[in-house]
Amino acid sequence: MNHEIVKIFFLHKKILFPHCTASIYLRHSSFSNNLKKGDKILAFPIKNLFDILLLKMRVATLAEIMEVRDDNEKVILHLKGITRARIKKFRGMHEAFFEIRSSKIDNSNQELLKELRKKAQELVFLINVQESDRLIELMNFLFGLDQITDFIANYFILDYKLKKDLLNSTDIKKRTNKLLIKLNQLIKKME
């Protein structure tokens, strides 16, 4: 268990994956005024109040604040996801102890990585967006299966429920297989 205490943010219908970035908006308060670049926080996605009740059973993303901008009406945080974390204990309403959830890596992951990269590139070519070359180039810089699954889930999966399921899935093989099924479905629809 990590004994560091970090602030927790509830992201309404928004998911921050490790290895990805997101911007969030906060109202001015004593809570938001104490945030600074370099701080670590837990970003926990919620859709409704029931998600807060089940908080200790789900995964959050440990993130680093990359930038804090003060817009007179709100505070804008630019976050970079670091890793998955399970919340273990609360201290008050906005702080928590956490445990890092890392993926187990074995040799069979390289085959899954090749297959996932191939399917993602195939989908990018079918979409034929102006950014396709850039997306493929970005994917080529991702070497770990955990990095590429999070990248694909963040940029290619639009279904909130599936995205949340992928974030909660700490088993890298199960996460990859879910993504491969979804990518195959998307490719089939577009052909």
Side-chain angles (χ1 to χ4, degrees), residues 129-140:
V129 294
Q130 293 176 341
E131 301 281 325
S132 61
D133 290 339
R134 185 171 168 255
L135 282 172
I136 289 172
E137 187 177 334
L138 282 171
M139 279 192 287
N140 288 333

Side-chain angles (χ1 to χ4, degrees), residues 49-102:
L49 289 175
F50 295 112
D51 288 336
I52 295 173
L53 297 174
L54 301 172
L55 190 64
K56 290 174 97 175
M57 297 172 61
R58 299 232 174 101
V59 174
T61 301
L62 180 64
E64 181 178 351
I65 298 174
M66 303 302 290
E67 180 184 11
V68 179
R69 277 188 288 157
D70 191 346
D71 177 358
N72 293 327
E73 298 171 14
K74 59 189 174 265
V75 176
I76 304 166
L77 300 179
H78 188 67
L79 304 176
K80 178 183 178 191
I82 299 170
T83 188
R84 283 171 173 74
R86 188 167 309 276
I87 296 151
K88 298 306 266 181
K89 185 179 173 186
F90 286 97
R91 188 175 93 171
M93 180 68 177
H94 295 288
E95 294 181 320
F97 292 95
F98 64 94
E99 173 182 80
I100 291 178
R101 306 296 299 187
S102 56

Side-chain angles (χ1 to χ4, degrees), residues 9-15 44-49 160:
F9 286 88
F10 299 104
L11 305 179
H12 184 67
K13 294 184 181 179
K14 191 171 189 174
I15 295 176
F44 184 77
I46 61 168
K47 191 171 183 179
N48 54 44
L49 289 175
Y160 178 80

Side-chain angles (χ1 to χ4, degrees), residues 165-178:
D165 187 38
L166 291 167
L167 178 68
N168 284 311
S169 181
T170 55
D171 183 320
I172 191 73
K173 286 185 180 180
K174 286 181 182 175
R175 188 163 71 233
T176 304
N177 287 324
K178 286 177 187 177

Side-chain angles (χ1 to χ4, degrees), residues 1-165:
M1 180 160 148
N2 189 325
H3 295 287
E4 183 180 3
I5 297 171
V6 295
K7 292 183 183 336
I8 185 166
F9 286 88
F10 299 104
L11 305 179
H12 184 67
K13 294 184 181 179
K14 191 171 189 174
I15 295 176
L16 172 63
F17 282 94
H19 318 291
C20 299
T21 61
S23 293
I24 61 171
Y25 306 91
L26 306 169
R27 287 189 212 122
H28 278 282
S29 68
S30 60
F31 179 69
S32 63
N33 293 338
N34 293 328
L35 301 171
K36 61 187 180 306
K37 182 178 177 178
D39 284 353
K40 302 255 187 316
I41 63 155
L42 288 171
F44 184 77
I46 61 168
K47 191 171 183 179
N48 54 44
L49 289 175
F50 295 112
D51 288 336
I52 295 173
L53 297 174
L54 301 172
L55 190 64
K56 290 174 97 175
M57 297 172 61
R58 299 232 174 101
V59 174
T61 301
L62 180 64
E64 181 178 351
I65 298 174
M66 303 302 290
E67 180 184 11
V68 179
R69 277 188 288 157
D70 191 346
D71 177 358
N72 293 327
E73 298 171 14
K74 59 189 174 265
V75 176
I76 304 166
L77 300 179
H78 188 67
L79 304 176
K80 178 183 178 191
I82 299 170
T83 188
R84 283 171 173 74
R86 188 167 309 276
I87 296 151
K88 298 306 266 181
K89 185 179 173 186
F90 286 97
R91 188 175 93 171
M93 180 68 177
H94 295 288
E95 294 181 320
F97 292 95
F98 64 94
E99 173 182 80
I100 291 178
R101 306 296 299 187
S102 56
S103 302
K104 295 177 182 129
I105 297 172
D106 62 34
N107 294 335
S108 65
N109 287 352
Q110 290 305 312
E111 289 303 316
L112 282 172
L113 177 63
K114 287 178 189 173
E115 187 177 354
L116 189 59
R117 190 184 306 271
K118 180 181 152 196
K119 287 294 177 186
Q121 288 175 349
E122 189 177 337
L123 181 62
V124 168
F125 285 127
L126 285 171
I127 294 170
N128 196 19
V129 294
Q130 293 176 341
E131 301 281 325
S132 61
D133 290 339
R134 185 171 168 255
L135 282 172
I136 289 172
E137 187 177 334
L138 282 171
M139 279 192 287
N140 288 333
F141 283 107
L142 302 172
F143 296 106
L145 190 57
D146 58 333
Q147 291 176 334
I148 200 161
T149 56
D150 291 335
F151 179 85
I152 290 169
N154 188 63
Y155 291 104
F156 295 103
I157 305 300
L158 302 177
D159 177 9
Y160 178 80
K161 186 177 176 186
L162 178 57
K163 274 183 131 165
K164 195 167 181 181
D165 187 38

